[in-house]
Amino acid sequence: MLNVLAQTAAGEVVEGLKAIGAGLGYGLAAIGPGIGIGIVVGNAISAMARQPESAGMARTTMFLGIAFTEALALIGFVVFILLLP
Amino acid sequence: MLETSPEVGNEVGQTAGVATPERDIARDLAKRAVWVSPLFLAVGAIGWGSAGLASAAVALALVAVNFLLGAAIITRAVRISLNALFGAVLFGYIARLGLMTAVVLVVRTGGWFATVPFAITLLVTHLGLLVWESTRVSVSLAFPGLKPAPASQVTPEENHSK
């Protein structure tokens, strides 16, 4: 009886640790792209302020840069849903 | 053709009627997502049955909505100011990730959700479409969005009407 209870408790602990790990991993994985997007947007804004006539090109490059950077966060997101119990 | 936003202000030094390249690119990405969707839906259906089909469809929809939402946020924020653009992009990033997470957490409670085809479709479509789109983006200052169509595809009447 005690053995069964111990196994059940251990299983729940493992499931809980999995959920905590998934959440932590997702949060940590979102930090890098956040910094990257900040750098991309900051430089794009700097370019638009310096050369307003090239704002269209800066916005095009910025949008694609944001999307590429966001792919890293999506990898973290995928790991998150794979780890979820 | 590129659409224009007549109400664009000159906060960023833009004149009225400037193009909205991010919106054009996002629409082009969504269009290409529709083109490639049969492939991913077929892979999902063959590998995981109806659950794979539905999961791949959800992933394709999320990718397209993510691009369109990101572009809409930028287009709206650019009309306000550069500061608004910075804030909107960063908070938009968090909001879009939150939206995707919420959708997946809701969808996976149903018995029909398959994680693996969803993950494969999400990552491959997002990155693949971006790489594909990168070859179609102009670096010309005169045409800041997508590359213009080759001259041979434009009839003289169409050209004249521009």
Side-chain angles (χ1 to χ4, degrees):
Chain A
M1 182 68 183
L2 282 175
N3 214 2
V4 171
L5 279 176
Q7 280 178 356
T8 308
E12 286 174 359
V13 167
V14 168
E15 294 296 302
L17 286 175
K18 266 189 188 176
I20 290 171
L24 269 178
Y26 188 23
L28 290 173
I31 291 174
I35 295 170
I37 288 172
I39 292 171
V40 168
V41 178
N43 284 315
I45 286 174
S46 178
M48 282 188 267
R50 285 171 187 266
Q51 288 187 296
E53 70 276 10
S54 67
M57 195 177 76
R59 279 164 63 185
T60 303
T61 313
M62 181 185 75
F63 181 69
L64 287 176
I66 289 169
F68 271 114
T69 313
E70 216 176 270
L72 294 173
L74 287 185
I75 293 171
F77 175 64
V78 163
V79 172
F80 165 72
I81 57 172
L82 288 174
L83 281 180
L84 270 183
Chain B
M1 286 310 302
L2 284 177
E3 293 185 13
T4 57
S5 304
E7 65 274 41
V8 171
N10 57 5
E11 286 286 331
V12 293
Q14 295 168 328
T15 54
V18 78
T20 54
E22 64 279 340
R23 187 194 293 170
D24 298 317
I25 291 169
R27 284 182 181 169
D28 204 48
L29 283 163
K31 194 171 65 183
R32 286 168 201 269
V34 173
W35 290 353
V36 299
S37 60
L39 173 69
F40 289 99
L41 293 177
V43 169
I46 291 167
W48 292 268
S50 58
L53 180 77
S55 304
V58 170
L60 284 164
L62 273 180
V63 167
V65 168
N66 190 34
F67 284 136
L68 291 171
L69 203 56
I73 288 170
I74 292 173
T75 304
R76 298 281 294 185
V78 157
R79 293 174 186 173
I80 302 169
S81 72
L82 291 178
N83 292 325
L85 175 65
F86 209 126
V89 169
L90 287 177
F91 282 104
Y93 163 68
I94 296 170
R96 281 181 290 128
L97 279 186
L99 179 71
M100 290 177 74
T101 309
V103 167
V104 169
L105 288 180
V106 168
V107 160
R108 72 190 292 274
T109 56
W112 51 269
F113 184 74
T115 309
V116 175
F118 174 84
I120 292 171
T121 307
L122 190 77
L123 282 181
V124 174
T125 312
H126 186 90
L127 277 173
L129 286 177
L130 278 176
V131 171
W132 191 7
E133 189 68 20
S134 297
T135 64
R136 292 288 308 149
V137 170
S138 172
V139 291
S140 161
L141 291 179
F143 204 94
L146 302 171
K147 281 180 184 171
S152 59
Q153 292 180 3
V154 180
T155 62
E157 291 78 18
E158 287 173 347
N159 197 26
H160 186 68
S161 65
K162 293 173 190 168

